[in-house]
Amino acid sequence: MSKNDGTLWVDRYRPTSLEKLDIHTDLTNQLKKMCTSDNLPHLLFYGPSGAGKKTRVKAVLRSLFGASVEKVKVEHKAIKINTKTIEISIVSSSHHVEVNPSDVEFQDRVVVQEIIKEIAQSVPLDAGTAQKSFKVVVLHEVDKLSKDAQHALRRTMEKYVATCRLILVCNSTSKVIDPLRSRCLPVRVPLPTIKEITSTLQSIAKKEGVNLSTDLANRIAEQSGRNLRKAILSFEAAKVKQYPFAPNQVIERADWEDFIKQMADEISQEQSPQRLQLIRSRFYELLVHCIPPEIIMKNLTMELLGRVDTELKYDVVKWAAHYEQRMQTGSKPIFHLEAFVAKFMSLYKQFLSGLLE
Amino acid sequence: MSTKRPLEAPSSKSGNDRSDSGAPLPWVEKYRPKSVDEVSYQEEVVNTLRASIERTGKTSTILAIGRQLYGDLFKSRVKELNASDERGINVVRTSIKAFAQVATSASTNASGKTIPPYKLIILDEADAMTQDAQAALRRTMETYSKTTRFCLICNYVSRIIEPLASRCAKFRFKSLTQESMEERIKYICDKEGIRFTQELGNGLSQVSGGDLRRAINLLQSAHSMYKEDTNAAALFEVAGKVPEQVVEGLIEAAQSNSFDTLESAVTETIANGYPASQIVSQLFDVITDGPLRDLQKAKIAEVLASSDKALQEGADEFLQLMNVFSVVMQEASR
């Protein structure tokens, strides 16, 4: 690995095989056992983002098929439905196919069926010499698939089980239907602990020849919220900003986090229609910068919770959950974000005037 | 059998080739009982109507009866239709009728056993049939009762139309007791070379809730992943269940009456990848058995129900869990 090939550290130090994974060793050992037995069941990887699900899936593929899975090509495939054609990009090697079916929104059912059918019908010819006589289909973000597509998947999975195995990846199994879950072996991938992140950061620092103090590594790890990718990225960013590190080096936070903090201040300072107007423009500002509305809602709630009395906290959480759910079922997030803020303002004002009396 | 473990190509459904050959069958199929004597439970148990909650051995029992009645002729005398087969009114009118019409005579097979002069049609998951199809079946059943016996299997007898239900003798299947399930599991463990412990048995009956098929499937997956160290903890992981300590930890955090403690506990749980919907459903069991007063339990149950729905619709896990536990906190502090 040359030091200046221009890639980010996140990519450069991504483990490629099961042997190189140094986080969650128990899980890795189980996966190793499974890869060596001749019967690989369908797998369902779940865990929060940044936990290393995809890395793990790649490692499993590698230990199943060897280095040739890394020779991937990206193709754009057009699938015809009645008169319409939809395009989807597929990453594939000679042993596996990777798709993110949620890209195509409501037509996902057709895509899922088409792709699996296509790969399942072409059995690998050198089944005798290759280690495995099946191909693997990796589906990302299964929890974003429509219920329709998930039901379609269930039948397809059974039908083509002889020639292909599925690896499903999702953030939470809450939105994956039960019959699908029961057909797969669930693999839970938790976020790495602060300690694991710290040691990973230090091993990267060593390989890069960077001098990283334990204290700073700890601080980076804590601020990342146990997200390894975020930690490595902010480590690299910190290095670009100032090196050698000062003992009180400031770790950059994403600017939208500060932005939301500022919004929470503004909301708790004044509760009036004018202020609401201002907050609306702030929301738009965040939304046009592609910050997902769920994240805005969540962070804002957290910030507001820190600013109110315990009595009020119950209500804040209740309404946040209420409006967030509505946001998921509705179509325009701004309405619900604003409704939440308006609700909060009225609650807060009532509470304050109650105190004065 | 729609939830057959998809490890191998679907095995043939006919009776004779289901012997204990070396082929890697899913264990559920491999250890399906082959005669009535082998059915682990349901000792009390022929137009028949069998109604019962899920997976208590209904299908297994009737297949075993069929095999005992007909022996080698099983294939030609028994027609089995389940929900995945087409069963609209057309099928009732044509293929079921055609099968029922042909008369058979009593005969003796090679071993000298008499084979009864009627055939058997098994309609599995009959409660999924349309009303029309059920109505069409009424007359058919009566007309051909000389040559054919019908066996309807369903989860809810209330979904079978009254005139059809009244034409059948009913057998209710109770859910399997822990002992009889354990016995079967022990037998399979024995054959597969897994060390059976009491802990494993308890764990299995807990995660499967009396559902033998699920229990066997779980056992097989756990075995494929953990090999010799298959234990209760492994089962919990394979079943996608949240360990009890995690749920208890969250409740404890809620009882601490501090929002910060609760917040960090919930963040931790989400970070460890435990699905919120699972926590919600497990919390329900813990709360209902807990020491709270009925009114408090009712309040918590209400929020559990609404957040379960919200989660299904894709709401944020963190906020929903916070909401649930803040209600728990509120109620516990009263």
Side-chain angles (χ1 to χ4, degrees), chain A residues 30 39 41 46 48 158 161 172-174 182-186 188 190-191 226 302 313 317 321 324-325 328-329, chain B residues 2 5-8 221 225-226 237-238 259 263 270-275 277 313-318 320 323:
Chain A
Q30 285 153 18
N39 240 328
Y46 66 101
E158 276 181 355
V161 69
S172 163
T173 54
S174 297
S182 74
R183 279 173 178 73
C184 302
L185 188 62
R188 185 172 58 86
L191 284 178
R226 291 175 65 185
M302 298 311 304
K313 282 181 180 172
V317 169
E324 201 274 334
Q325 185 210 345
Q328 294 297 333
T329 39
Chain B
S2 48
R5 203 75 204 168
L7 295 179
E8 291 86 17
S221 337
M225 192 149 164
Y226 294 86
E237 191 71 39
V238 168
F259 245 89
E263 192 194 307
I270 301 276
N272 281 330
Y274 294 112
S277 57
E313 286 172 352
D316 186 74
E317 309 225 314
F318 176 80
Q320 290 300 329
N323 185 25

Side-chain angles (χ1 to χ4, degrees), chain B residues 85-96:
Chain B
D85 299 313
E86 188 57 49
R87 280 192 313 193
I89 188 161
N90 264 335
V91 177
V92 174
R93 282 193 182 138
T94 53
S95 75
I96 291 187

Side-chain angles (χ1 to χ4, degrees), chain A residues 25 44-45 55 62 67 103 139 160 165 192 212 242 298 347:
Chain A
T25 31
L44 171 66
F45 281 80
T55 311
R62 193 185 151 109
D103 284 350
L139 295 179
Y160 299 112
R165 296 288 187 282
L212 178 71
Q242 186 189 0
K298 195 169 136 185
L347 282 172

Side-chain angles (χ1 to χ4, degrees), chain B residues 36-37 39 41-46 48-52 56-58 61-62 65 68 151 169-174:
Chain B
V36 182
D37 302 332
V39 177
Y41 191 53
Q42 313 298 359
E43 288 159 4
E44 300 119 70
V45 183
V46 174
T48 43
L49 176 69
R50 300 160 174 275
S52 153
T56 49
K58 304 179 294 294
T61 310
I62 189 63
I65 289 176
Q68 218 167 33
C151 173
K170 294 184 188 113
F171 293 97
R172 202 176 68 79
F173 278 61
K174 344 171 223 195

Side-chain angles (χ1 to χ4, degrees), chain A residues 21 23-24 27 46-56 170-171 188-193 196 225-230, chain B residues 270-273:
Chain A
L21 287 168
I23 292 169
H24 310 313
L27 182 63
Y46 66 101
S49 69
K53 298 181 294 293
K54 276 185 203 174
T55 311
R56 229 153 276 268
C170 67
N171 278 336
R188 185 172 58 86
V189 188
L191 284 178
T193 59
E196 284 168 326
R226 291 175 65 185
N227 186 329
L228 186 57
R229 174 171 36 205
K230 211 167 153 190
Chain B
I270 301 276
N272 281 330

Side-chain angles (χ1 to χ4, degrees), chain A residues 325-344:
Chain A
Q325 185 210 345
R326 289 193 159 195
M327 195 162 74
Q328 294 297 333
T329 39
S331 56
K332 278 251 180 198
I334 185 76
F335 293 150
H336 307 283
L337 288 170
E338 217 179 319
F340 170 63
V341 172
K343 186 83 199 172
F344 176 82

Side-chain angles (χ1 to χ4, degrees), chain A residues 147-165:
Chain A
K147 293 264 141 55
D148 235 17
Q150 294 190 29
H151 280 292
L153 202 55
R154 139 190 188 191
R155 195 70 201 102
T156 327
M157 261 164 110
E158 276 181 355
K159 222 162 148 186
Y160 299 112
V161 69
T163 48
C164 85
R165 296 288 187 282

